[in-house]
Amino acid sequence: MVHLKANKSGRRSPEPPTKMRKRDLGILLLAAFAIFFSLQHEGDFSFREAWYHLSDDGYPIKYDADRLPPPLVADLNGDGRPEILLPTHDAKIQVLQPPHARPASGFDDFHEARLMAEISLLPTNVRVSSGRRPVAMAVGAVDRSYKLADVRKQVLVVVTSGWAVMCFDHNLNKLWEANLQDDFPHAAHHREVAISISNYTIKHGDAGLVIVGGRMEMQHHSADLFDDFMTSEHSREEHRRSASEKQASEAGNVDVRHFALYAFAGRTGALRWSRKNENIQSQPSDASALIPQHNYKLDVHSLNSRHPGQFECREFRESVLGVMPHHWDRREDTSLQLANFRRHKRKQLKKTPGKNAVNNVHKPSEHNPAGKDDTNRLSKAIGKAAELAGSAKGKKSQHTPFVPTITNYTQVWWVPNVVVAHEKEGIEAIHLASGRTICKLHLTEGGLHADVNGDGVLDHVQVVGANGIEQTVVSGSMEVLKPCWAVATSGVPVREQLFNVSICHYNHYNLFHHGDFSKSFGRPFDPTGLEVATPILLQRDDGHKHRRGSHGDIIFLTSRGEATSYSPGLLGHDATWRWQLSTGATWSNLPSPSGMMENIVVPTLKAFSLRAYDPKQVIIAGGDQEAVVISPSGSLLASIELPAPPTHALILEDFSGDGLTDIILVTSGGVYGFVQTRQPGALFFSTLVGCLIVVIGVIFVSLHLNSSNSGKPRSSTEYR
């Protein structure tokens, strides 16, 4: 643009164009750098306060049996808006609707969730609250839908402390109720309980299947507090409890020392089978010689002549690894999982020289459908073309695969044939059609059970703190596990030790352990009050194909907020230190001599995906005042300030319905929800700001060069 300037004669003369000063350009460059680094520090997601719901009952939690199950997030009516099902101590289930309006970017505040409905678990005729407190809840679909576009409505199943099993439809109308209290002694309480809901059927005409399992424990609460402090009285109580359990098991129908299971029809509540008192007797080591090699299918018709405990879990070693990892810390860790168990396939027999005929009885059957030969290229090409044509038709109709009714003869790989119970004592596989025990694997209580190095053998990772009075012994040895040390063993029973590493104050050179380090530098390591969370396995892509739930990094968390990651060695032995991060996820639980459960903080250490169906996972570690999200490489991604100490592990569900994983905090005074918010334009805007910085830098350099050239003195030969 040409500017005009007035001269003495009154006429305007053109003014040369002005240039941006270096000072202004430098200020603009600094502002661009500040914006760029602020965007990098902010990240692309965060968790903000969304809603809360305060509990008005004020029921004190003195014992573990008094704890309520965690709330559930479910879309009961299939309208796309999830609801939150919250149990209460006064035998009610509240249905909460979180606010759908997202909080503004500059305003963080909790909004009270709306109470949509409330159902009572009390009987209709007699309003007695005894035995009606909920101890377990689950939601699921029992009606089979043959089109993917169909709206799937779910049912709610609740188990109460008095062994009343109730099923409600999507409108919270009671469908059926089954009372199992007569099968258990009156003085027992739930030590373990779990529910499984599916749309599989084991009888023609049924709609779905509901399986309820649990184990009871005799508990006598003393009225005198002085008795709780006396050790002798505590030992007498243990003897009295064991005697009561024995008498109850002999007099009643259910052995309280074993895990009881009941299977009901989903819509009618008709009892299909029950497993009450079935003891698994150990078989001799040569029992496998009595089992034909061709009988690798899992059908109960071929097991009728055998004892239900004859099959050991090593016969299903691949299937057992498929339901891992396993850990148990408290009652809500008990779970029921549907799976397909198949016996371990032995290698094909070698052909003997001079023999042309091979006995096909000893060969495992193939997965090829009838009339299809995978060795012929022409038939493979025709089969692939037929599959493509079938898939094109399937996209139009959107039909789901056919699922038959599960019977004793069902041998289809995509249909589950067992229900696996993850219990305190280990895992147990029960045949889905008959309720007979297939195998039971006793696992050491505490720690993580998984195939951590991917060698196909079940491993056990143990780590303890210094808060407990009892001492934990390393599996397979008489060595006492030290605080702040993690020991991994391989095999059930233990065959060898994989590694023994420290999870506190790691030095990169690994020259000193805690004892030598403290003696040398005069700073003794004090493990007093130290607690540890159960370690988790975070799968990491190393370029090789591994079974799901095996081979990954092992993550540890201490009550001092130290998160440590180890990866298995190259040959499966030893462990490689990857990273350690000091976080604000700290907590402290003082041991109570009376055994009370008041003010107990439950830490959180989990691996989860930020988006639904995202294979990439991150780590969340939660303490009593703060929770942090950590990347697999050990960098801090986000932090959440908790308004109160958690009484349950943090719940990771999508209650906003946007496909992003949200967080629910359960405290003694209420429930709080944190919604995940994204900045979708942060990466794009950061790229634009980066390009602007480059352009400004180029202009700045060009101006500097032009100014230096214009300031040079003229030569003497130039005309004056």
Side-chain angles (χ1 to χ4, degrees):
M1 184 177 184
V2 179
H3 299 274
L4 298 179
K5 184 178 180 181
N7 53 14
K8 295 181 179 180
S9 60
R11 297 180 180 179
R12 292 183 177 270
S13 60
E15 186 183 48
T18 59
K19 296 182 179 179
M20 180 178 292
R21 297 180 179 180
K22 293 183 180 180
R23 180 187 61 187
D24 301 336
L25 197 61
I27 294 174
L28 183 60
L29 186 62
L30 290 177
F33 269 112
I35 295 174
F36 182 78
F37 284 111
S38 64
L39 288 173
Q40 298 300 316
H41 179 72
E42 183 181 4
D44 58 346
F45 75 95
S46 61
F47 291 92
R48 303 183 184 274
E49 297 88 345
W51 55 269
Y52 73 93
H53 179 77
L54 302 179
S55 59
D56 53 356
D57 48 7
Y59 189 88
I61 306 299
K62 296 183 179 181
Y63 302 97
D64 185 66
D66 299 332
R67 300 177 74 249
L68 290 174
L72 298 176
V73 179
D75 185 11
L76 292 177
N77 50 11
D79 59 351
R81 296 182 177 182
E83 296 88 19
I84 300 171
L85 307 177
L86 181 65
T88 62
H89 284 282
D90 54 351
K92 292 181 181 179
I93 304 295
Q94 295 179 343
V95 183
L96 306 179
Q97 182 180 15
H100 294 284
R102 285 189 171 273
S105 59
F107 180 73
D108 296 344
D109 194 10
F110 286 108
H111 301 276
E112 186 173 3
R114 185 171 67 93
L115 182 62
M116 297 178 57
E118 190 178 62
I119 58 174
S120 177
L121 303 180
L122 301 180
T124 56
N125 299 331
V126 182
R127 310 297 288 182
V128 179
S129 60
S130 177
R132 288 285 171 166
R133 177 176 47 84
V135 295
M137 299 191 311
V139 293
V142 296
D143 296 325
R144 187 170 299 172
S145 58
Y146 295 96
K147 293 184 179 180
L148 298 177
D150 292 345
V151 177
R152 297 187 178 183
K153 298 181 179 181
Q154 298 180 334
V155 298
L156 168 66
V157 178
V158 182
V159 178
T160 66
S161 58
W163 267 112
V165 183
M166 288 174 282
C167 182
F168 302 89
D169 63 359
H170 63 281
N171 291 323
L172 298 180
N173 298 320
K174 185 184 293 186
L175 294 177
W176 53 268
E177 178 178 350
N179 195 346
L180 307 176
Q181 189 174 8
D182 295 337
D183 294 343
F184 299 92
H186 178 69
H189 72 273
H190 287 83
R191 181 57 178 163
E192 300 179 69
V193 61
I195 306 172
S196 171
I197 305 175
S198 64
N199 56 3
Y200 296 105
T201 58
I202 59 176
K203 186 178 180 180
H204 294 284
D206 289 351
L209 183 66
V210 175
I211 303 176
V212 177
R215 185 176 67 88
M216 305 298 289
E217 187 178 56
M218 304 298 295
Q219 183 83 21
H220 302 281
H221 302 310
S222 176
D224 190 2
L225 293 179
F226 181 76
D227 294 338
D228 295 330
F229 291 92
M230 301 298 294
T231 308
S232 60
E233 193 67 23
H234 177 71
S235 61
R236 295 175 192 172
E237 187 71 21
E238 291 295 330
H239 289 293
R240 192 183 304 116
R241 182 189 306 175
S242 60
S244 300
E245 290 179 355
K246 186 176 181 180
Q247 293 176 2
S249 62
E250 292 177 356
N253 295 328
V254 174
D255 191 348
V256 295
R257 295 169 295 182
H258 294 279
F259 199 83
L261 285 162
Y262 298 86
F264 303 94
R267 282 289 177 181
T268 61
L271 183 64
R272 292 306 172 210
W273 54 259
S274 63
R275 206 287 305 270
K276 302 177 183 179
N277 299 320
E278 188 162 7
N279 299 327
I280 305 301
Q281 300 177 359
S282 60
Q283 297 296 318
S285 58
D286 58 347
S288 59
L290 303 177
I291 303 172
Q293 292 184 359
H294 70 280
N295 189 10
Y296 73 99
K297 298 281 188 177
L298 185 58
D299 61 290
V300 169
H301 179 70
S302 61
L303 303 179
N304 287 333
S305 60
R306 301 186 180 94
H307 192 273
Q310 184 170 352
F311 279 119
E312 298 180 1
C313 284
R314 67 166 176 259
E315 298 290 337
F316 311 99
R317 60 194 71 173
E318 291 86 0
S319 301
V320 169
L321 292 177
V323 297
M324 293 296 164
H326 168 83
H327 72 92
W328 197 96
D329 293 323
R330 50 191 60 89
R331 187 177 63 188
E332 49 264 28
D333 293 331
T334 305
S335 63
L336 299 177
Q337 177 183 357
L338 301 183
N340 186 280
F341 266 37
R342 304 178 73 87
R343 288 193 58 196
H344 173 68
K345 295 182 180 179
R346 294 176 175 84
K347 295 182 179 180
Q348 297 183 6
L349 297 179
K350 295 182 179 180
K351 293 183 179 181
T352 306
K355 269 190 175 182
N356 295 327
V358 179
N359 190 1
N360 293 326
V361 174
H362 297 282
K363 283 188 175 182
S365 63
E366 299 178 355
H367 294 285
N368 299 334
K372 184 177 180 181
D373 184 13
D374 285 339
T375 59
N376 192 347
R377 295 183 179 181
L378 180 60
S379 63
K380 287 179 65 176
I382 296 175
K384 185 176 291 187
E387 289 178 0
L388 293 176
S391 61
K393 295 180 181 179
K395 290 181 180 179
K396 297 180 181 180
S397 59
Q398 291 185 350
H399 287 289
T400 58
F402 170 72
V403 179
T405 301
I406 301 175
T407 62
N408 293 344
Y409 302 93
T410 304
Q411 299 177 0
V412 191
W413 62 269
W414 66 83
V415 176
N417 54 5
V418 298
V419 52
V420 180
H422 291 264
E423 310 169 12
K424 178 182 179 181
E425 299 179 351
I427 65 169
E428 186 175 0
I430 299 95
H431 195 265
L432 196 59
S434 63
R436 298 184 63 180
T437 301
I438 300 301
C439 76
K440 184 171 183 179
L441 181 62
H442 291 274
L443 300 175
T444 306
E445 184 180 351
L448 172 68
H449 295 272
D451 182 13
V452 297
N453 53 6
D455 60 349
V457 180
L458 186 61
D459 307 320
H460 183 206
V461 182
Q462 290 178 281
V463 58
V464 296
N467 230 0
I469 303 176
E470 70 281 353
Q471 293 182 342
T472 303
V473 180
V474 179
S475 299
S477 67
M478 299 302 294
E479 180 185 357
V480 177
L481 188 61
K482 299 178 182 179
C484 246
W485 285 86
V487 178
T489 56
S490 178
V492 180
V494 176
R495 299 179 183 176
E496 57 181 347
Q497 182 173 309
L498 296 180
F499 58 80
N500 188 353
V501 295
S502 173
I503 62 172
C504 298
H505 302 289
Y506 180 86
N507 68 47
H508 293 269
Y509 299 100
N510 201 16
L511 297 177
F512 305 101
H513 296 302
H514 291 302
D516 301 332
F517 187 82
S518 60
K519 291 178 183 178
S520 302
F521 292 88
R523 293 190 303 174
F525 174 74
D526 185 16
T528 304
L530 180 71
E531 298 180 48
V532 291
T534 302
I536 62 173
L537 182 67
L538 181 67
Q539 286 192 283
R540 182 165 54 94
D541 187 12
D542 59 350
H544 300 279
K545 186 178 181 180
H546 298 282
R547 184 183 288 104
R548 183 180 180 183
S550 65
H551 191 275
D553 297 337
I554 309 170
I555 313 298
F556 302 93
L557 178 67
T558 67
S559 58
R560 298 176 183 177
E562 296 173 346
T564 311
S565 173
Y566 282 93
S567 61
L570 296 177
L571 300 178
H573 293 76
D574 298 330
T576 305
W577 182 89
R578 298 199 67 233
W579 52 263
Q580 188 177 66
L581 182 66
S582 181
T583 67
T586 61
W587 74 93
S588 176
N589 284 321
L590 298 177
S592 177
S594 60
M596 298 293 183
M597 293 290 296
E598 295 178 320
N599 302 324
I600 294 295
V601 179
V602 178
T604 301
L605 181 60
K606 295 181 179 180
F608 74 104
S609 301
L610 293 173
R611 294 179 179 270
Y613 309 108
D614 188 3
K616 298 181 180 180
Q617 290 186 328
V618 294
I619 309 161
I620 183 169
D624 55 357
Q625 297 180 354
E626 186 179 348
V628 294
V629 180
I630 308 173
S631 68
S633 60
S635 60
L636 186 64
L637 299 179
S639 61
I640 307 102
E641 184 179 355
L642 306 181
T647 57
H648 292 72
L650 297 178
I651 302 172
L652 307 172
E653 293 288 345
D654 178 22
F655 60 76
S656 57
D658 57 354
L660 302 178
T661 305
D662 305 318
I663 298 176
I664 297 179
L665 168 68
V666 182
T667 67
S668 58
V671 184
Y672 301 84
F674 298 85
V675 65
Q676 183 185 161
T677 57
R678 290 267 178 168
Q679 291 82 27
L683 180 61
F684 180 71
F685 189 60
S686 299
T687 305
L688 292 180
V689 173
C691 296
L692 179 62
I693 291 174
V694 174
V695 172
I696 293 176
V698 171
I699 296 176
F700 185 82
V701 172
S702 62
L703 286 178
H704 179 71
L705 293 177
N706 291 335
S707 62
S708 61
N709 291 332
S710 61
K712 290 182 179 180
R714 291 179 295 179
S715 61
S716 58
T717 57
E718 187 177 349
Y719 177 77
R720 296 181 181 179

